[in-house]
Amino acid sequence: MTIFQFPQDFRWGTATASYQIEGAAQEGGRGVSIWDTFARTPGKVFNGDNGDVACDSYHRYEEDIELMKKLGINTYRFSIAWPRIIPDGDGEINREGLDFYHRFVDKLLEAGIEPFCTLYHWDLPQTLEDIGGWGNRRTVDAFVKYAEVIFKEFSGKINFWLTFNEPWCIAFLSNLLGIHAPGNKDLQTSINVAHGLLVAHGKAVQSFRRLGTTGQIGIAPNVCWAEPYSKSPEDQAACDRAIALNTDWFLDPIYKGSYPQFMVDWFEKAGATVPIQEGDMEIISQPIDLLGINYYTMGINRFNPEAGALQSEEVDMGLTKTDIGWPVESRGLYEFMHYLQKYGNVDVYITENGACINDDLENGKINDDRRIAYYEQHLTQIHRIINDGINLKGYMAWSLMDNFEWAEGYRMRFGLVHVDYRSLVRTPKESFYWYQNVIKNNWLETRI
Ligand code: GCO
């Protein structure tokens, strides 16, 4: 047994996203998002599931906040659904949508829980996708307008802000691999989307400062760590590309004002170019205050000319996997946090980390011991990272409760709380009580 003590001011939290938990898709004046459309397209989401009801958190948020209080978290990361605020993306503001988030944020504050707000966790208004989505500058401008509405409304209540959740997923998973909404499969489209997002991010940060909004702002990339299968330079280069596409492709423009040249060259060879307009890179490289890092797994990669646009193939090394098939390897988080230091010792929050473990109720209990083991390993690394002097200031477990897992529908469960999707009854799992104990103590007690 080892005891790992965490800093006094460490933030303990959980994370969720609007489309994954809210439901009430046709209520409160909410407009249609690309996920409503995608989930209704046959063959896109497992079992034809959609977010119409999800965890029904739109109606049950008070119960959710009770669970958060019981868990003892001091921070809660959630996202605002743009189609609730501006239903057609770029027109009238829907007061009912704003009021919902005011009620919610007020309840959080009453409970002593700091709201950590993501402006965009993938629910783009469908009307904006119809004009070309993030590849069209009108979408970028519409986002900035939406962001300004939120900044004005919630300044003074919210102190932690993220513009975008997982830009790699928005650009490449959704527009090159076609696995997420809107489901395009085109390299140039994905590069256009990535660039549009970055410009939107930079402009939103400019608005944030200009409006004097309270708190700190940043972005939350999902990062990948990869190590080479062999000593060959080809395998090393295949890893570099995998890491860079998730991280450097977005953080180099933000922190250095330029894209990583070796990736620009790589894409040019494949016939795709970045649509940079005059002034873009200055806008994108606005100083930010914090970074959110979403980490789940790492890869051992090798060069394979058949392996997609990056020609980088993940090799199955036989590691333990979670039920979604992702290898459990906490070391990648440690290595990645050191890699990140090339941008300086910036303030970092782990804005997502967690395991898909589909254990169900048995005699009224959910014994998700494998989830506890996952958290234990990752929190051990986090303790090492902090001890190395890296400014890691908080940890948000994904997720508070089981929810709509995108293309996997409801079959993949990441929650500390079990949700019965027929009755919507919430039942804390064993991992909930384990995490509750870590938070209460402010230390982690490992089993070995
Ligand atoms: C994200 C994530 C979450 C997922 C989680 C498990 O983009 O922030 O995709 O929404 O549910 O990562 O896959």
Side-chain angles (χ1 to χ4, degrees), residues 104-270:
F104 173 69
V105 167
D106 289 347
K107 271 268 169 243
L108 275 183
L109 292 172
E110 243 175 75
I113 299 170
E114 185 82 45
F116 206 117
C117 173
T118 311
L119 291 172
Y120 185 83
H121 200 129
W122 307 355
D123 32 12
L124 182 71
Q126 180 62 43
T127 41
L128 294 174
E129 184 57 36
D130 295 342
I131 59 162
W134 291 105
N136 184 336
R137 294 288 165 126
R138 276 171 58 196
T139 301
V140 171
D141 293 339
F143 175 77
V144 177
K145 260 179 27 199
Y146 153 67
E148 288 182 355
V149 171
I150 301 296
F151 292 151
K152 285 184 196 151
E153 285 282 330
F154 293 93
S155 183
K157 289 189 181 182
I158 297 180
N159 290 309
F160 291 95
W161 303 89
L162 296 167
T163 51
F164 288 96
N165 176 69
E166 302 193 351
W168 176 86
C169 291
I170 304 168
F172 299 104
L173 187 64
S174 310
N175 290 285
L176 174 62
L177 302 174
I179 293 170
H180 280 185
N184 297 317
K185 290 186 183 162
D186 180 62
L187 180 61
Q188 185 62 61
T189 305
S190 61
I191 303 258
N192 295 348
V193 167
H195 190 66
L197 285 180
L198 282 169
V199 175
H201 161 84
K203 287 191 170 185
V205 174
Q206 286 180 326
S207 296
F208 181 85
R209 307 272 181 234
R210 188 170 39 75
L211 294 170
T213 317
T214 53
Q216 304 183 316
I217 193 163
I219 188 167
N222 54 309
V223 301
C224 128
W225 184 249
E227 289 176 359
Y229 182 67
S230 81
K231 286 185 186 162
S232 79
E234 289 79 11
D235 284 0
Q236 181 61 58
C239 289
D240 294 346
R241 288 192 293 277
I243 294 170
L245 195 63
N246 282 263
T247 304
D248 310 41
W249 191 258
F250 299 99
L251 295 189
D252 272 18
I254 290 176
Y255 285 114
K256 298 183 184 169
S258 59
Y259 280 95
Q261 193 55 44
F262 78 103
M263 291 301 291
V264 172
D265 296 344
W266 178 266
F267 286 137
E268 267 177 11
K269 266 201 315 205

Side-chain angles (χ1 to χ4, degrees), residues 20 121-122 165-166 294 296 326 352 398 405-406 414:
Q20 295 183 275
H121 200 129
W122 307 355
N165 176 69
E166 302 193 351
N294 294 357
Y296 288 92
W326 303 347
E352 281 181 33
W398 185 273
E405 179 53 29
W406 308 113
F414 279 82

Side-chain angles (χ1 to χ4, degrees), residues 15-16 20-23 49 53-57 60 63-64 67 76 357-361 364-366 368 371 399-405 409-432:
T16 59
Q20 295 183 275
I21 65 163
E22 283 179 3
D49 291 345
V53 178
C55 307
D56 194 34
S57 289
R60 293 168 201 249
E63 190 183 336
D64 294 345
L67 282 165
Y76 178 67
I357 301 291
N358 293 332
D359 294 333
D360 222 305
L361 271 161
K365 269 188 146 181
I366 301 104
D368 56 340
R371 178 173 286 106
S399 179
L400 175 66
M401 58 192 155
D402 295 336
N403 56 49
F404 177 76
E405 179 53 29
Y410 293 101
R411 71 168 161 173
M412 297 297 172
R413 295 176 178 270
F414 279 82
L416 293 162
V417 174
H418 177 272
V419 177
D420 177 327
Y421 292 113
R422 277 157 307 177
S423 63
L424 296 168
V425 166
R426 285 115 159 95
T427 311
K429 304 179 187 180
E430 289 306 297
S431 57
F432 177 98

Side-chain angles (χ1 to χ4, degrees), residues 4 6 10 12 330 333 353 373-386 395 434-435 438 444 446:
F4 293 117
F6 284 78
F10 195 70
W12 294 107
S330 59
L333 177 57
N353 174 242
Y374 181 97
Y375 279 129
E376 183 181 309
Q377 287 174 34
H378 288 77
L379 285 176
T380 302
Q381 297 293 354
I382 284 171
H383 187 269
R384 272 180 87 197
I385 293 163
I386 296 170
Y395 179 83
W434 177 88
Y435 191 39
V438 171
L444 165 74
T446 63

